[in-house]
Amino acid sequence: MRQDDARGDKPLKTASGHGIDVAVQREDYLDGSAIRQIRSLVAMGRTARAMDAACAAGGQARRMAKAGAAVTAIDLYADGATLLRAALDEGLTKIDFIQADLRDPALYQRLGQFDLIIAQRFIHYLPFPEAVKVIRLFRHALLPDGKLYISASGLRSELGQNYPAV
């Protein structure tokens, strides 16, 4: 993997060993869209409930909490204590961390529904049938007017370098 990409993102080591943890380095367009949605809900007097799926170090989860959301950050590998400590250092208390497999339907039954779910730089690491299953689980975890923010890169992108194709 390159030392950095065209935007200057550094290949920060993730607990899973896959990809680049961009969210702790900068907000991209999809991240910003989710933040605008949260601010819109808060302006209407709603308590925005947000899920950061495959949250890694929690950069986006912290931005969503700063915007006024109650955030559930979920990751299979991330260190929740480190994420929550970083949030507390920023004065953020509306973040819960759950170490879990996003492919587990029982997880969603426990969590209830969300105003928005963001899944950045994650779904492309799953084999196609598993990715479809997760997207369906996300859909059922959204409130009727909820929004799903999802990004995926192909195996031919820089994220696919050194990743075994399935």
Side-chain angles (χ1 to χ4, degrees), residues 35-52:
I35 298 299
R36 286 187 294 280
Q37 176 66 12
I38 290 166
R39 289 183 180 142
S40 172
L41 293 169
V42 169
M44 292 186 304
R46 285 181 55 182
T47 300
R49 228 177 141 234
M51 177 197 296
D52 186 357

Side-chain angles (χ1 to χ4, degrees), residues 49 108 111-116 139-144:
R49 228 177 141 234
Y108 300 87
L111 295 176
Q113 293 187 300
F114 294 86
D115 293 292
L116 67 105
R139 175 62 195 107
H140 293 294
L142 285 169
L143 291 165

Side-chain angles (χ1 to χ4, degrees), residues 12-74:
L12 301 178
K13 184 174 172 76
T14 59
S16 68
H18 299 302
I20 298 173
D21 193 350
V22 174
V24 297
Q25 299 179 64
R26 65 175 168 85
E27 176 182 297
D28 69 10
Y29 178 79
L30 196 68
D31 297 328
S33 296
I35 298 299
R36 286 187 294 280
Q37 176 66 12
I38 290 166
R39 289 183 180 142
S40 172
L41 293 169
V42 169
M44 292 186 304
R46 285 181 55 182
T47 300
R49 228 177 141 234
M51 177 197 296
D52 186 357
C55 66
Q60 181 63 6
R62 295 194 318 267
R63 281 192 289 278
M64 291 190 300
K66 283 179 192 172
V71 181
T72 301
I74 302 170

Side-chain angles (χ1 to χ4, degrees), residues 54-138:
C55 66
Q60 181 63 6
R62 295 194 318 267
R63 281 192 289 278
M64 291 190 300
K66 283 179 192 172
V71 181
T72 301
I74 302 170
D75 200 284
L76 183 60
Y77 301 105
D79 176 6
T82 301
L83 184 159
L84 294 173
R85 190 169 33 258
L88 285 174
D89 288 348
E90 296 176 42
L92 304 170
T93 58
K94 290 185 180 180
I95 299 178
D96 292 318
F97 174 80
I98 300 171
Q99 189 166 12
D101 189 333
L102 289 161
R103 296 169 292 189
D104 179 8
L107 170 68
Y108 300 87
Q109 292 171 357
R110 290 192 313 268
L111 295 176
Q113 293 187 300
F114 294 86
D115 293 292
L116 67 105
I117 297 172
I118 187 163
Q120 282 277 57
R121 305 164 198 96
F122 148 71
I123 202 81
H124 51 261
Y125 291 116
L126 298 177
F128 183 76
E130 291 180 19
V132 169
K133 176 182 172 184
V134 169
I135 290 171
R136 287 184 177 138
L137 290 168
F138 286 162

